[in-house]
Amino acid sequence: MITKVSKIDLQSLQEAKNLIESEQLVAFPTETVYGLGALATSERAIKSVYEVKGRPSDNPLIVHVHKDYDISTLVYISENDYSQKIANAFLPGPLTMVYKSKGVVAPSLSCGLDTLAIRIPKSEGAQKFLKFVNQPIAAPSANISKHISPVTAEHVYQDFNGKIPLILDGGKCDGGIESTVLDVTGDIPVILRKGLITAEMIREVVGACVYAGENAQTSLKSPGMKYKHYSPNCETAIFERNESEEAIRLYDQLKAEGKRVIFLCDDEMSKKIGKRKFLALGSTDIEMASNLYDLLHQGEKYEVIITFKLLVDSELMLSVNNRFSKAFFKDENK
Ligand code: AMP
Ligand code: MG
């Protein structure tokens, strides 16, 4: 199969619509990462998403719709619910909400759960695609399962060249990390996956919001959280922030052995490694969220990435650190 990469225009949107309607896959940009889109009502299309990604069959997919789509056709929404206030405050945006499902999407999409995760992305490219197709689109991140999530069309191409017919190219995603997944089926909203919208931000709107612990119970509620993700395809080493001398020793030793090695550092740590080569994560939480995946993609072109633990000094840094840890702490249960 030839994989076409097209800028988003009338012609590529029409092509995307035809492909989606014929149960094929189309990658498209959002404000967080690129999604691998499939018609949510087609069991055949959903099956091929799992196959192409190598995604475990018990990890449900998120359904994406445009901002004017009537989601009450897909899920139960109660009128006076706090979920409405949250939706009004943050959507369209990097927030996925989990509702009770009406069961109209393909059964394998929800992996047997009676809930459905819905996202209304904000980026212009995503809105254009979703509006043009005007169908609910199931879309996990457009990467091979466990690899780093894609933030450019080129990243998608690297993982899926020859495996999908079309990638809509909307440039680089600026959010960087995936949407927050929020369970709105209970008495108070519960964050199942940390992301750009934090508990603090939701509390400001509805008074309450908690993070679910990443324990057995939460794994059942949000099956995807138990899987390892975001790993660069190269060796990695991580040091404490007070171990710059040890990290430098390792870098110099690997260099002397002829290895291609690079540091991945926030601004503070980059000042402690002399003139050695590094990828700059930035200094603020927003910068680091936006840069992380792109830099992991750049870093895996080397043989070894050396990095330092992050300073978690804001709620957004909790989300960034969640992805960062899954990329660098290889032996933990992820
Ligand atoms: P991905 O598509 O790879 O960005 O991952 C989707 C995330 O949403 C995973 O962590 C899933 O477990 C979670 N998810 C999708 N559908 C549901 C649902 N119905 N209930 C809870 N979590 C969900
Ligand atoms: Mg993913």
Side-chain angles (χ1 to χ4, degrees):
M1 180 187 291
I2 305 273
T3 300
K4 222 168 132 177
V5 181
S6 303
K7 295 274 172 229
I8 303 175
D9 56 23
L10 257 181
Q11 193 185 340
S12 62
L13 285 171
Q14 187 58 55
E15 230 171 292
K17 183 175 161 74
N18 295 345
L19 287 165
I20 290 291
E21 286 173 353
S22 62
E23 302 173 296
Q24 299 194 62
L25 309 183
V26 174
F28 65 98
T30 76
E31 69 273 33
T32 59
V33 304
Y34 274 71
L36 182 63
L39 186 61
T41 48
S42 159
E43 187 66 19
R44 191 168 139 222
I46 299 307
K47 286 229 163 89
S48 61
V49 169
Y50 282 93
E51 250 171 58
V52 164
K53 267 186 72 88
R55 184 177 175 100
S57 59
D58 65 348
N59 187 3
L61 304 179
I62 295 171
V63 169
H64 294 60
V65 292
H66 62 77
K67 62 182 171 36
D68 304 315
Y69 196 90
D70 178 9
I71 65 164
S72 71
T73 57
L74 302 171
V75 293
Y76 294 101
I77 301 171
S78 68
E79 294 251 320
N80 300 318
D81 196 359
Y82 63 82
S83 70
Q84 290 287 0
K85 283 193 195 152
I86 295 175
N88 291 340
F90 298 108
L91 300 184
L95 175 69
T96 295
M97 303 200 356
V98 175
Y99 299 90
K100 286 281 175 211
S101 177
K102 287 194 172 170
V104 297
V105 296
S108 56
L109 184 156
S110 292
C111 308
L113 298 171
D114 61 355
T115 51
L116 184 64
I118 299 203
R119 166 151 150 71
I120 305 175
K122 189 180 190 167
S123 77
E124 198 188 334
Q127 280 295 324
K128 275 188 182 162
F129 165 67
L130 293 166
K131 190 94 191 175
F132 205 90
V133 175
N134 199 25
Q135 296 269 7
I137 298 295
S141 49
N143 55 302
I144 300 287
S145 200
K146 301 187 177 64
H147 191 218
I148 310 157
S149 297
V151 292
T152 64
E154 176 63 27
H155 297 155
V156 182
Y157 190 79
Q158 281 162 19
D159 274 13
F160 291 126
N161 179 21
K163 294 180 182 153
I164 62 172
L166 179 62
I167 301 169
L168 292 175
D169 184 354
K172 186 171 175 284
C173 311
D174 35 62
I177 60 172
E178 294 86 348
S179 63
T180 303
V181 177
L182 184 74
D183 181 1
V184 295
T185 62
D187 294 337
I188 61 163
V190 179
I191 291 183
L192 303 177
R193 177 175 74 183
K194 299 180 184 82
L196 294 168
I197 306 291
T198 64
E200 197 173 24
M201 291 159 76
I202 293 168
R203 254 180 255 127
E204 271 178 30
V205 177
V206 290
C209 181
V210 294
Y211 288 107
E214 287 171 23
N215 53 22
Q217 211 182 348
T218 323
S219 292
L220 279 180
K221 272 225 135 185
S222 191
M225 294 310 296
K226 69 174 185 275
Y227 291 108
K228 181 173 180 256
H229 284 309
Y230 324 120
S231 300
N233 291 325
C234 66
E235 294 292 322
T236 58
I238 182 156
F239 287 88
E240 299 290 341
R241 297 180 75 80
N242 61 7
E243 290 177 337
S244 53
E245 282 175 22
E246 289 87 337
I248 286 172
R249 221 173 294 132
L250 177 64
Y251 179 101
D252 291 347
Q253 184 196 326
L254 290 169
K255 261 297 214 223
E257 290 168 11
K259 288 245 166 71
R260 285 178 298 109
V261 54
I262 192 146
F263 275 111
L264 173 74
C265 304
D266 54 45
D267 285 355
E268 191 183 317
M269 292 311 297
S270 69
K271 296 192 184 100
K272 302 190 178 165
I273 57 165
K275 290 214 161 12
R276 291 163 187 84
K277 212 166 174 180
F278 72 99
L279 298 164
L281 264 174
S283 55
T284 66
D285 49 9
I286 292 175
E287 275 170 16
M288 293 193 218
S290 172
N291 292 335
L292 180 64
Y293 288 152
D294 192 30
L295 297 184
L296 289 175
H297 278 282
Q298 289 181 43
E300 73 175 3
K301 298 204 171 80
Y302 292 76
E303 286 168 277
V304 188
I305 304 173
I306 302 177
T307 192
F308 297 98
K309 285 189 182 170
L310 298 177
L311 212 58
V312 180
D313 53 4
S314 72
E315 282 210 45
L316 179 52
M317 277 310 289
L318 266 180
S319 309
V320 175
N321 195 47
N322 167 269
R323 309 306 198 275
F324 180 87
S325 305
K326 288 183 177 192
F328 288 107
F329 294 115
K330 296 207 157 152
D331 297 322
E332 282 189 5
N333 179 22
K334 304 173 202 178

